[in-house]
Amino acid sequence: MRRAPALGLLAFLIACGDGNQGPQAPDGSNLGWSGPQRIGQAAGAGGMQVALDAQGTGVAVWQEPSGTLAATLGSTGTWSPAERLDGETAPRALDAAGSGFFHLAWRGVDGAAAAILARRFVPGQGWTAPVRVSQGGQTDSFLDDASRPDVAVAPDGSAFVAWRQIAGGDHRIWAARHTLAGWDAPDLLATATGNASGVQVAVDGVGNATCAWLAFDGTAVTLRAARFTPAGGWRPEEDLDRHVGLGDMSHAPAVAMAGTAEAFVVVPTAAFRLPRGELMAYRTSGGAWEPPAQIAELTPAAPGTSFQVALDADASGAATVAWLLSGTGPNDLWANRYVRGSGWGMPRRLETRTTNAYTPAVAAAEGGAWVVWLQAETPQGGVELNRVWSSVFTGAAWSAPMAINTDERAQPPDLDATMGGRALAAWSQGPFQNETPWANRFGATP
């Protein structure tokens, strides 16, 4: 049986490690991570996904050797017992709505076909049965080769799932919309020639959606996007950027929406194989896309490559992006913010440790922002024990980094935030193949 969270040891490490006294607001008050809490008892957990709605209720979903499990968080901070959803262990995409509905999508098996499946959590009823979202007959020689779904949910409970699926000899991008009537038939978004990958989808408060992805046509890598309006449906795809040559298409674009029809797309230029790994941001307020902004410029004195980009935005028009920068030393964690009327600020390094940072996640709400990531506890080259760290933007400044899990090896965290200064982080931790799911709630108002 695992030991209880070592809160005393955690407090000691926060006070002594790196000279930081834990996160504080500009007025010197403490910020509100409540403390790590184990939310499941079985072992071998991984692939944590978490979502939080406007009332402060949440859902965590993860995979174990026996299949996929979920637990729900009540507004009082109490977690339900873990519930086994099915026997599949495929990675999943999860998002929440303000009305308490949670949508989950994954690549599953429907008969002999690999298909995109989805289910939702309904308050007072629990999880619905899985529904097939992708259609058959869209592929060539590969039977329903649908994969890599992403999901976004609007405040009214409507949802979008986007994925890639073979059609016409190439991997294309598809999307489907969920309303009170159920799932609509999927739409083909990527009609241009080229293999597409790395699709991400986001939705604003009134149901406008944006998808972005990368495509390679044998000559160039193109960053493309498609936009949806409730009145007009999906518009034709648009080219946001294009560079000749084969890029590293593992650098998927990050997508977020802020105010009505206001969208952001951020992608490392490593996806285009340019000489240096800058970070480019593309924005639209509903009309034409603005010229790209270079938001993580590198210099000869600070060479490296930007990668593992995380992005979120809120209704105030503020967007926050976090990413890793690799150079001659360990991976560093950086962030930048967009404020409506002011534009992008200067990039800032969020941690100053001499060990590697990994896998950032970002959440934004009401002008505040949260970032969580893994940080190695030993220097590069040693046996790295990764812990979960966090920094919070309080509306004026970033807090000092703070470890928010117990002193155990952790796997990549996920994060969500909502109104009232509430955030929820979840991860798994423990010895290899014996990890258990954990979470930490943030309750202070940024």
Side-chain angles (χ1 to χ4, degrees):
M1 189 172 182
R2 298 229 172 263
R3 60 189 175 95
L7 296 179
L9 176 59
L10 176 59
F12 174 80
L13 289 171
I14 292 168
C16 298
D18 294 323
N20 294 325
Q21 302 302 312
Q24 292 185 322
D27 63 2
S29 60
N30 292 326
L31 296 178
W33 287 109
S34 62
Q37 180 181 6
R38 189 163 65 180
I39 61 175
Q41 301 301 318
M48 297 294 299
Q49 294 281 300
V50 69
L52 195 63
D53 76 355
Q55 288 73 45
T57 59
V59 167
V61 176
W62 65 92
Q63 281 76 51
E64 296 182 359
S66 64
T68 297
L69 285 83
T72 57
L73 173 69
S75 58
T76 61
T78 301
W79 285 92
S80 72
E83 173 187 1
R84 190 172 184 268
L85 298 185
D86 53 53
E88 298 183 26
T89 58
R92 304 191 174 221
L94 174 69
D95 200 14
S99 54
F101 290 88
F102 298 83
H103 284 263
L104 185 67
W106 68 98
R107 181 182 188 263
V109 177
D110 184 16
I116 302 303
L117 304 177
R119 66 196 311 170
R120 63 179 183 145
F121 183 88
V122 179
Q125 299 180 29
W127 291 97
T128 63
V131 175
R132 179 173 175 154
V133 176
S134 61
Q135 286 185 338
Q138 305 294 341
T139 66
D140 296 300
S141 58
F142 297 95
L143 182 61
D144 288 349
D145 186 24
S147 62
R148 307 292 178 87
D150 192 39
V151 62
V153 184
D156 63 0
S158 63
F160 292 85
V161 173
W163 66 93
R164 74 172 193 164
Q165 187 172 354
I166 291 180
D170 291 333
H171 274 106
R172 305 297 181 100
I173 301 302
W174 299 75
R177 182 187 184 216
H178 183 277
T179 66
L180 293 178
W183 286 100
D184 295 340
D187 290 291
L188 176 62
L189 305 189
T191 58
T193 302
N195 276 299
S197 67
V199 62
Q200 297 286 296
V201 61
V203 63
D204 68 14
V206 296
N208 299 298
T210 300
C211 277
W213 63 91
L214 296 172
F216 180 65
D217 62 6
T219 300
V221 175
T222 304
L223 175 64
R224 293 189 172 125
R227 290 182 279 176
F228 175 94
T229 64
W234 286 103
R235 301 178 186 175
E237 62 187 308
E238 303 168 275
D239 288 358
L240 304 190
D241 215 332
R242 177 179 171 86
H243 293 273
V244 174
L246 175 61
D248 182 355
M249 294 175 66
S250 66
H251 296 283
V255 183
M257 295 196 73
T260 302
E262 185 177 8
F264 297 86
V265 176
V266 178
V267 64
T269 57
F272 303 123
R273 288 272 176 96
L274 292 182
R276 297 183 303 183
E278 289 93 352
L279 204 62
M280 305 301 292
Y282 308 76
R283 177 183 176 272
T284 177
S285 56
W289 288 89
E290 298 172 358
Q294 189 168 291
I295 63 173
E297 183 176 359
L298 306 180
T299 67
T305 298
S306 299
F307 66 109
Q308 286 191 2
V309 178
L311 171 68
D312 199 14
D314 61 33
S316 73
T320 301
V321 59
W323 68 94
L324 299 181
L325 177 63
S326 67
T328 57
N331 299 336
D332 302 325
L333 178 69
W334 289 74
N336 202 342
R337 285 177 49 80
Y338 179 96
V339 178
R340 187 181 294 157
S342 301
W344 289 98
M346 294 297 295
R348 168 169 177 170
R349 184 176 172 184
L350 296 188
E351 49 76 39
T352 58
R353 306 189 74 198
T354 58
T355 58
N356 280 315
Y358 301 99
T359 59
V362 171
E366 298 182 308
W370 293 255
V371 178
V372 295
W373 67 94
L374 290 183
Q375 187 94 42
E377 293 298 297
T378 54
Q380 192 175 23
V383 178
E384 297 189 343
L385 183 152
N386 300 320
R387 293 189 63 189
V388 181
W389 286 71
S390 172
S391 181
V392 180
F393 186 82
T394 61
W398 287 98
S399 70
M402 173 185 183
I404 65 170
N405 76 317
T406 60
D407 188 16
E408 286 192 286
R409 166 188 169 271
Q411 293 198 39
D414 195 26
L415 175 69
D416 200 9
T418 188
M419 297 183 295
R422 290 172 292 200
L424 177 64
W427 64 91
S428 59
Q429 67 179 49
F432 179 63
Q433 295 184 338
N434 204 25
E435 303 88 350
T436 53
W438 288 69
N440 201 333
R441 295 180 300 117
F442 186 100
T445 301

